[in-house]
PDB file of all heavy atoms in Angstrom:
ATOM      1  N   VAL A 406     -38.225 -37.395   8.724  1.00 96.00           N
ATOM      2  CA  VAL A 406     -39.311 -38.320   8.359  1.00 96.00           C
ATOM      3  C   VAL A 406     -40.190 -37.741   7.245  1.00 96.00           C
ATOM      4  O   VAL A 406     -40.552 -38.466   6.306  1.00 96.00           O
ATOM      5  CB  VAL A 406     -40.145 -38.700   9.601  1.00 96.00           C
ATOM      6  CG1 VAL A 406     -41.382 -39.499   9.198  1.00 96.00           C
ATOM      7  CG2 VAL A 406     -39.290 -39.509  10.571  1.00 96.00           C
ATOM      8  N   PRO A 407     -40.575 -36.440   7.302  1.00 95.00           N
ATOM      9  CA  PRO A 407     -41.327 -35.888   6.170  1.00 95.00           C
ATOM     10  C   PRO A 407     -40.613 -36.047   4.831  1.00 95.00           C
ATOM     11  O   PRO A 407     -41.264 -36.231   3.805  1.00 95.00           O
ATOM     12  CB  PRO A 407     -41.484 -34.411   6.552  1.00 95.00           C
ATOM     13  CG  PRO A 407     -41.515 -34.420   8.036  1.00 95.00           C
ATOM     14  CD  PRO A 407     -40.523 -35.483   8.428  1.00 95.00           C
ATOM     15  N   MET A 408     -39.278 -35.982   4.828  1.00 95.00           N
ATOM     16  CA  MET A 408     -38.539 -36.211   3.593  1.00 95.00           C
ATOM     17  C   MET A 408     -38.776 -37.635   3.076  1.00 95.00           C
ATOM     18  O   MET A 408     -38.993 -37.844   1.869  1.00 95.00           O
ATOM     19  CB  MET A 408     -37.044 -35.982   3.818  1.00 95.00           C
ATOM     20  CG  MET A 408     -36.177 -36.266   2.598  1.00 95.00           C
ATOM     21  SD  MET A 408     -34.394 -36.140   2.926  1.00 95.00           S
ATOM     22  CE  MET A 408     -34.159 -37.558   4.012  1.00 95.00           C
ATOM     23  N   LEU A 409     -38.757 -38.599   3.967  1.00 96.00           N
ATOM     24  CA  LEU A 409     -38.984 -39.993   3.563  1.00 96.00           C
ATOM     25  C   LEU A 409     -40.408 -40.201   3.068  1.00 96.00           C
ATOM     26  O   LEU A 409     -40.642 -40.950   2.108  1.00 96.00           O
ATOM     27  CB  LEU A 409     -38.682 -40.932   4.741  1.00 96.00           C
ATOM     28  CG  LEU A 409     -37.248 -40.881   5.284  1.00 96.00           C
ATOM     29  CD1 LEU A 409     -37.110 -41.787   6.503  1.00 96.00           C
ATOM     30  CD2 LEU A 409     -36.250 -41.277   4.207  1.00 96.00           C
ATOM     31  N   LEU A 410     -41.366 -39.522   3.703  1.00 96.00           N
ATOM     32  CA  LEU A 410     -42.754 -39.629   3.264  1.00 96.00           C
ATOM     33  C   LEU A 410     -42.923 -39.031   1.865  1.00 96.00           C
ATOM     34  O   LEU A 410     -43.658 -39.571   1.030  1.00 96.00           O
ATOM     35  CB  LEU A 410     -43.678 -38.913   4.250  1.00 96.00           C
ATOM     36  CG  LEU A 410     -43.696 -39.449   5.689  1.00 96.00           C
ATOM     37  CD1 LEU A 410     -44.651 -38.636   6.552  1.00 96.00           C
ATOM     38  CD2 LEU A 410     -44.070 -40.925   5.715  1.00 96.00           C
ATOM     39  N   ALA A 411     -42.231 -37.908   1.620  1.00 95.00           N
ATOM     40  CA  ALA A 411     -42.284 -37.298   0.293  1.00 95.00           C
ATOM     41  C   ALA A 411     -41.685 -38.233  -0.757  1.00 95.00           C
ATOM     42  O   ALA A 411     -42.202 -38.346  -1.875  1.00 95.00           O
ATOM     43  CB  ALA A 411     -41.552 -35.959   0.303  1.00 95.00           C
ATOM     44  N   ALA A 412     -40.594 -38.923  -0.415  1.00 95.00           N
ATOM     45  CA  ALA A 412     -39.978 -39.863  -1.352  1.00 95.00           C
ATOM     46  C   ALA A 412     -40.954 -40.968  -1.727  1.00 95.00           C
ATOM     47  O   ALA A 412     -41.090 -41.335  -2.908  1.00 95.00           O
ATOM     48  CB  ALA A 412     -38.712 -40.455  -0.734  1.00 95.00           C
ATOM     49  N   LEU A 413     -41.653 -41.484  -0.734  1.00 96.00           N
ATOM     50  CA  LEU A 413     -42.619 -42.556  -0.996  1.00 96.00           C
ATOM     51  C   LEU A 413     -43.766 -42.069  -1.878  1.00 96.00           C
ATOM     52  O   LEU A 413     -44.138 -42.731  -2.857  1.00 96.00           O
ATOM     53  CB  LEU A 413     -43.171 -43.081   0.335  1.00 96.00           C
ATOM     54  CG  LEU A 413     -44.293 -44.124   0.238  1.00 96.00           C
ATOM     55  CD1 LEU A 413     -43.801 -45.371  -0.502  1.00 96.00           C
ATOM     56  CD2 LEU A 413     -44.808 -44.488   1.637  1.00 96.00           C
ATOM     57  N   GLY A 414     -44.328 -40.905  -1.544  1.00 95.00           N
ATOM     58  CA  GLY A 414     -45.486 -40.418  -2.283  1.00 95.00           C
ATOM     59  C   GLY A 414     -45.167 -39.987  -3.702  1.00 95.00           C
ATOM     60  O   GLY A 414     -45.855 -40.390  -4.653  1.00 95.00           O
ATOM     61  N   TYR A 415     -44.105 -39.179  -3.844  1.00 94.00           N
ATOM     62  CA  TYR A 415     -43.804 -38.620  -5.162  1.00 94.00           C
ATOM     63  C   TYR A 415     -43.165 -39.628  -6.106  1.00 94.00           C
ATOM     64  O   TYR A 415     -43.533 -39.729  -7.277  1.00 94.00           O
ATOM     65  CB  TYR A 415     -42.886 -37.402  -5.029  1.00 94.00           C
ATOM     66  CG  TYR A 415     -43.502 -36.248  -4.283  1.00 94.00           C
ATOM     67  CD1 TYR A 415     -42.793 -35.554  -3.309  1.00 94.00           C
ATOM     68  CD2 TYR A 415     -44.809 -35.838  -4.538  1.00 94.00           C
ATOM     69  CE1 TYR A 415     -43.351 -34.491  -2.629  1.00 94.00           C
ATOM     70  CE2 TYR A 415     -45.379 -34.779  -3.853  1.00 94.00           C
ATOM     71  CZ  TYR A 415     -44.640 -34.109  -2.895  1.00 94.00           C
ATOM     72  OH  TYR A 415     -45.208 -33.061  -2.221  1.00 94.00           O
ATOM     73  N   TRP A 416     -42.166 -40.362  -5.592  1.00 95.00           N
ATOM     74  CA  TRP A 416     -41.382 -41.228  -6.461  1.00 95.00           C
ATOM     75  C   TRP A 416     -41.779 -42.697  -6.362  1.00 95.00           C
ATOM     76  O   TRP A 416     -41.589 -43.444  -7.319  1.00 95.00           O
ATOM     77  CB  TRP A 416     -39.901 -41.058  -6.152  1.00 95.00           C
ATOM     78  CG  TRP A 416     -39.433 -39.694  -6.566  1.00 95.00           C
ATOM     79  CD1 TRP A 416     -39.345 -38.575  -5.776  1.00 95.00           C
ATOM     80  CD2 TRP A 416     -39.053 -39.282  -7.877  1.00 95.00           C
ATOM     81  NE1 TRP A 416     -38.918 -37.501  -6.523  1.00 95.00           N
ATOM     82  CE2 TRP A 416     -38.729 -37.904  -7.810  1.00 95.00           C
ATOM     83  CE3 TRP A 416     -38.944 -39.933  -9.100  1.00 95.00           C
ATOM     84  CZ2 TRP A 416     -38.306 -37.183  -8.923  1.00 95.00           C
ATOM     85  CZ3 TRP A 416     -38.520 -39.222 -10.211  1.00 95.00           C
ATOM     86  CH2 TRP A 416     -38.203 -37.867 -10.122  1.00 95.00           C
ATOM     87  N   GLY A 417     -42.314 -43.098  -5.201  1.00 95.00           N
ATOM     88  CA  GLY A 417     -42.775 -44.477  -5.092  1.00 95.00           C
ATOM     89  C   GLY A 417     -44.124 -44.687  -5.757  1.00 95.00           C
ATOM     90  O   GLY A 417     -44.427 -45.785  -6.239  1.00 95.00           O
ATOM     91  N   LEU A 418     -44.955 -43.626  -5.771  1.00 93.00           N
ATOM     92  CA  LEU A 418     -46.301 -43.737  -6.330  1.00 93.00           C
ATOM     93  C   LEU A 418     -46.524 -42.800  -7.521  1.00 93.00           C
ATOM     94  O   LEU A 418     -46.886 -43.233  -8.613  1.00 93.00           O
ATOM     95  CB  LEU A 418     -47.338 -43.442  -5.236  1.00 93.00           C
ATOM     96  CG  LEU A 418     -47.387 -44.421  -4.066  1.00 93.00           C
ATOM     97  CD1 LEU A 418     -48.330 -43.906  -2.989  1.00 93.00           C
ATOM     98  CD2 LEU A 418     -47.823 -45.792  -4.537  1.00 93.00           C
TER      99      LEU A 418
END
Side-chain angles (χ1 to χ4, degrees):
V406 172
M408 177 185 68
L409 300 176
L410 299 180
L413 175 61
Y415 296 135
W416 292 95
L418 295 173

